[in-house]
Amino acid sequence: MIVRQALSAGAAGLLLTAVMAAPGSGASAAAAADCTVAAPDTARLNTARTIDGGPVYAKWLEEGATPATNAAVQKAAQRHFKIAENGKESIAELARRGYLGAAVDHNTKSVKVVVTPEYAGKAAGLRGAMSTARAAGARASTEATPLQSDVIAGCHSGEKIAKADELLRGKAWHASAKKATFSYYLDASDSRLHVSFDPDDTAAAEAARTALGDVAVVTVGEAARSGRLDDGEAHYGGAGVRAGSGGINTNTCTTTFAVRRNSNGQRGGLTAGHCFSNGQAIYSSTQFWGTAWGEANYPTYDMMGVASSAETYDNQIHVDPCCPNTRNITSKRNPVVGDSVCLSGMITRAVCGLVVSSVSASFCDDEGCTTGLMQARRANDVTVRGGDSGGPVYIRSGTANAVALGMIIAYTDSGRNAFAERIGIVESHLGVTVLTS
């Protein structure tokens, strides 16, 4: 398997289609159509940055009982539509069932579950399930939550969105599409597929823009499957690793979390499947880390294990530059839309304040598509670079702990859009359990 390396970070992507008013436009909230979730009204909300680099107006999503209530409401909606917690259903499959996703409205401090227009008349049961989940979340906490919830009808039919997804996954809309590198996700806030192509694939991007029409936003910006650097025993997540022993600056990917194999109890770690081949000896610089195993059904699943019975592994991750330099993994869950998350790759190191916009995104290149991904972004900041692949996605807990959410596998828009495998899918596919304490 070829290890994909990123190019150096480039300029911001070139916009190829007209888009809705961007976050930052004071008129955006008032101008939003009934089928959209309004962008933050920056004439009214505090647009300053937090210490993590995220917008102050989004801090409410991290406070009190809001994170748990948000997760409960979205999981209730997923159960209503019979969406598997650790599955990789396509956007087309979900859209044909009536589900377009969830979006956060910062203006009203609410989460909106977006359904297709044809499903809207049947949404009473969905509203009831969400209301019950929200009430249960409030009862379970002594802290007030400002979170509201609602169901709205999206802007495009399920069939229109499904056909757009199938066109992209089929990679037959242009002669160069099969070899193009691109990502896409359905943004429930405007019911459109947001597609980003590498600059080498502008012809495929232009053809996609024409073929998709108003159901998509197409942009161009560097894209790639994306150490720290001398991680000895006990081995941690967030460590830089390479195939074979080498110098400290020769690591090529990052480890995720420490795990236990369900079949035999052996401990080890994780990294992205595109980084190495099964059976390779993996080192962190000159420190032996383990042997690669478990890569299967790539690129649908971009993940693998690294383990050795002679090495020790601990449920900690590197989160430098500071402070602290490491955190303990104490729990795990899949991400949901609206989560404010941290990444910790070998090259970029720990960055926080990214907001999750999708949990059904896809990243595609000449080897195929990886589906069912988390997509997150922090304004226009570069948060992922080549070498960060395999790095942990997490939420901080207290001053020294963290909640495991996923594994970095790729980026687009020159490192501004981050893509990650969700932790439940990683555990299920590889047959492992993340170590917690």
Side-chain angles (χ1 to χ4, degrees):
M1 180 187 301
I2 297 173
V3 178
R4 262 67 60 86
Q5 290 297 308
L7 304 173
S8 60
L14 168 69
L15 189 64
L16 294 182
T17 63
V19 298
M20 294 166 45
S25 167
S28 61
D34 291 343
C35 63
T36 66
V37 177
D41 181 356
T42 55
R44 183 174 61 86
L45 300 176
N46 187 340
T47 59
R49 295 287 193 105
T50 67
I51 192 170
D52 292 331
V56 168
Y57 63 71
K59 281 292 291 180
W60 68 276
L61 282 164
E62 305 175 49
E63 297 170 345
T66 300
T69 306
N70 180 32
V73 168
Q74 291 190 46
K75 287 179 180 178
Q78 291 164 6
R79 287 193 298 270
H80 179 84
F81 284 101
K82 296 181 171 56
I83 301 170
E85 172 76 8
N86 297 322
K88 285 203 170 195
E89 292 184 274
S90 68
I91 292 171
E93 290 173 305
L94 300 179
R96 287 190 172 114
R97 294 216 293 272
Y99 180 78
L100 299 186
V104 172
D105 187 339
H106 295 286
N107 304 296
T108 60
K109 291 188 175 181
S110 62
V111 59
K112 306 287 180 66
V113 169
V114 184
V115 299
T116 60
E118 56 270 29
Y119 189 87
K122 303 178 287 185
L126 172 60
R127 284 191 173 87
M130 291 167 55
S131 178
T132 299
R134 183 183 177 280
R139 287 196 302 270
S141 175
T142 58
E143 301 178 27
T145 172
L147 180 76
Q148 302 296 315
S149 63
D150 196 7
V151 178
I152 67 170
C155 306
H156 299 289
S157 72
E159 191 60 26
K160 185 174 183 178
I161 290 171
K163 287 181 177 177
D165 175 43
E166 289 168 345
L167 181 143
L168 288 169
R169 283 191 290 118
K171 302 178 78 169
W173 73 88
H174 186 266
S176 64
K178 288 195 179 300
K179 293 185 177 182
T181 298
F182 63 98
S183 70
Y184 67 98
Y185 63 96
L186 176 60
D187 190 335
S189 67
D190 63 5
S191 304
R192 295 198 285 181
L193 294 172
H194 289 244
V195 195
S196 182
F197 285 85
D198 190 83
D200 289 338
D201 300 308
T202 53
E206 291 283 5
R209 178 184 63 84
T210 300
L212 293 167
D214 66 350
V215 78
V217 175
V218 179
T219 59
V220 171
E222 182 201 345
R225 296 200 189 251
S226 34
R228 76 36 136 87
L229 303 180
D230 194 20
D231 183 64
E233 296 186 77
H235 301 300
Y236 294 171
V241 287
R242 53 163 287 129
S245 179
I248 198 165
N249 293 319
T250 61
N251 296 318
T252 57
C253 281
T254 308
T255 61
T256 319
F257 304 110
V259 298
R260 181 184 66 254
R261 295 183 70 174
N262 299 334
S263 60
N264 57 15
Q266 183 184 47
R267 291 193 174 198
L270 304 167
T271 193
H274 70 264
C275 289
F276 309 112
S277 297
N278 290 335
Q280 285 186 302
I282 307 304
Y283 286 76
S284 180
S285 182
T286 59
Q287 303 288 326
F288 180 63
W289 221 89
T291 301
W293 67 274
E295 185 274 306
N297 198 15
Y298 175 83
T300 301
Y301 297 88
D302 192 351
M303 59 190 72
M304 71 189 326
V306 181
S308 170
S309 58
E311 301 294 302
T312 58
Y313 306 84
D314 202 352
N315 62 308
Q316 293 193 52
I317 56 173
H318 296 282
V319 294
D320 55 278
C322 188
C323 289
N325 286 322
T326 62
R327 283 183 177 267
N328 303 308
I329 299 300
T330 55
S331 61
K332 61 192 177 183
R333 68 168 173 83
N334 281 330
V336 297
V337 172
D339 275 340
S340 178
V341 305
C342 301
L343 315 178
S344 188
M346 170 185 74
I347 300 299
T348 310
R349 302 194 292 172
V351 291
C352 294
L354 288 85
V355 178
V356 176
S357 296
S358 174
V359 291
S360 60
S362 296
F363 182 88
C364 304
D365 57 15
D366 58 355
E367 297 199 44
C369 295
T370 306
T371 59
L373 299 173
M374 180 205 86
Q375 177 272 335
R377 187 179 179 104
R378 190 180 73 181
N380 203 38
D381 301 334
V382 174
T383 56
V384 184
R385 294 175 173 86
D388 291 340
S389 279
V393 181
Y394 61 98
I395 290 176
R396 292 170 298 187
S397 176
T399 59
N401 300 326
V403 179
L405 297 185
M407 171 198 296
I408 302 166
I409 66 110
Y411 65 83
T412 57
D413 195 11
S414 302
R416 294 168 178 83
N417 283 324
F419 295 87
E421 292 274 18
R422 294 174 285 155
I423 198 60
I425 293 175
V426 175
E427 287 188 315
S428 176
H429 183 68
L430 293 178
V432 298
T433 300
V434 171
L435 298 181
T436 59
S437 61

